[in-house]
Amino acid sequence: MSVHSEIKKVTTETLRKMKFDKEKITMLTAYDFTTAKMVDAGGVDAILIGDSAANVMAGFETTLPITLDQMIYHSQSVVRGTDRALVVADLPFGTYQSNPEKALESAVRMMKEGGAHAVKIEGGKEISKSIKKIINAGIPVMGHLGLTPQSIYKFGTYKVRAKDEAEAEKLISDAQLLEELGCFAVVLEKIPADLAKKVSESISIPTIGIGAGPDCDGQVLVYHDMVGMNKGFSPKFLRRYLDLYTEITGAVAQYVKDVKNVEFPNENESY
């Protein structure tokens, strides 16, 4: 039985306590009202409105093209469909890196217009001033280290990060800095499992892993990947719990057949 299953509303403090109590944290993405209702009803602790909406909702190759206005729209939709889960929204590329004032303005809009409960930002020391500015304004920040998709053109690949000693040491240092700055949690994406374990043990804020092994304090997956709505994306870390692509295309094909054969609508489906 989950220690926190009876909580009516998950907060940043709930996640901290879950780490302390050694209860794993669950997070999934959602980008719309209907999905948010289902994910929330399923009992996840947190919902991430990821800039991965650029990929799965709009068909872009990277997360870079999505705008703050578009992310605010997705956030509004998700918040309206959520009762229990903590709702965290990504600040998209270009809305926080350039200067702390712009970062704060972006975060305020995401909270005020989007209705999110917290924002997520990619990076460590390089963006520390922006993080500090946002947190000092009373806005909760979730960090994101390891593979940071907004920096894909810098990395040049989606391969596992921090395999060499220098990058691993920087990641640990950045994680500790994020805690010092006041972040309430940090996502660790696509890093070696032993490094993720070391990071999780070295900080008191929760770590949420994606492709970072079982020793993180929680896990996150993209909803569309987890339920099998995407066929072409099959990273090692992904577990598909359904095959909705096959189910949905099959249902559509049956609908087309029934309409063509004048089998839908029948007498009971007509007024």
Side-chain angles (χ1 to χ4, degrees):
M1 180 70 176
S2 166
V3 177
H4 300 284
S5 60
E6 300 306 313
I7 287 178
K8 292 182 179 178
K9 189 68 187 173
V10 177
T11 67
T12 57
E13 184 56 35
T14 310
L15 301 192
R16 288 192 191 98
K17 194 166 190 310
M18 289 175 76
K19 174 172 177 129
F20 180 80
D21 292 339
K22 293 182 168 47
E23 178 183 343
K24 296 292 187 181
I25 297 162
T26 57
M27 185 160 74
L28 285 172
T29 64
Y31 315 102
D32 63 87
F33 172 81
T34 304
T35 302
K37 282 191 77 69
M38 291 188 290
V39 169
D40 193 50
V44 296
D45 301 305
I47 293 175
L48 174 65
I49 304 147
D51 56 5
S52 47
N55 310 119
V56 298
M57 301 299 286
F60 287 111
E61 187 177 342
T62 72
T63 63
L64 303 186
I66 200 163
T67 67
L68 182 59
D69 284 340
Q70 289 168 329
M71 286 299 297
I72 287 171
Y73 163 76
H74 285 297
S75 182
Q76 291 169 339
S77 304
V78 168
V79 168
R80 284 193 288 264
T82 306
D83 293 320
R84 179 182 176 274
L86 178 75
V87 178
V88 183
D90 270 334
L91 290 186
F93 178 74
T95 64
Y96 60 90
Q97 292 97 336
S98 58
N99 64 70
E101 286 72 27
K102 183 170 183 178
L104 177 58
E105 181 183 334
S106 302
V108 167
R109 285 197 63 202
M110 185 60 77
M111 303 288 283
K112 196 176 182 70
E113 299 173 43
H117 308 144
V119 297
K120 182 169 76 63
I121 301 179
E122 295 183 7
K125 185 178 179 182
E126 305 82 6
I127 57 159
S128 59
K129 290 180 180 177
S130 291
I131 293 173
K132 188 173 183 180
K133 188 87 171 175
I134 295 170
I135 291 174
N136 285 348
I139 298 172
V141 174
M142 176 180 281
H144 185 150
L145 299 173
L147 176 64
T148 47
Q150 290 180 15
S151 302
I152 184 55
Y153 290 121
K154 172 186 171 185
F155 293 147
T157 174
Y158 285 105
K159 289 181 180 177
V160 175
R161 303 303 311 173
K163 292 178 81 171
D164 66 81
E165 190 175 342
E167 191 177 348
E169 286 178 3
K170 183 183 186 306
L171 191 142
I172 293 171
S173 175
D174 277 342
Q176 292 169 343
L177 175 62
L178 292 179
E179 179 180 14
E180 289 171 19
L181 290 170
C183 289
F184 71 90
V186 57
V187 168
L188 300 177
E189 180 168 358
K190 233 174 173 187
I191 64 172
D194 58 347
L195 175 60
K197 184 176 189 292
K198 189 179 293 185
V199 172
S200 301
E201 292 172 348
S202 72
I203 56 177
S204 62
I205 59 174
T207 58
I208 312 292
I210 176 165
D215 294 308
C216 293
D217 301 303
Q219 299 292 329
V220 60
L221 284 175
V222 171
Y223 165 82
H224 290 67
D225 299 335
M226 189 273 288
V227 297
M229 292 178 80
N230 296 326
K231 275 291 187 185
F233 184 65
S234 298
K236 181 180 180 180
F237 64 78
L238 173 61
R239 180 180 297 182
R240 284 196 175 89
Y241 286 79
L242 290 171
D243 183 11
L244 280 190
Y245 185 92
T246 300
E247 293 285 326
I248 291 171
T249 53
V252 171
Q254 187 62 50
Y255 165 76
V256 170
K257 181 182 177 184
D258 290 350
V259 171
K260 298 285 188 185
N261 294 334
V262 199
E263 293 175 359
F264 174 80
N266 60 30
E267 186 177 338
N268 293 331
E269 294 159 337
S270 302
Y271 293 98

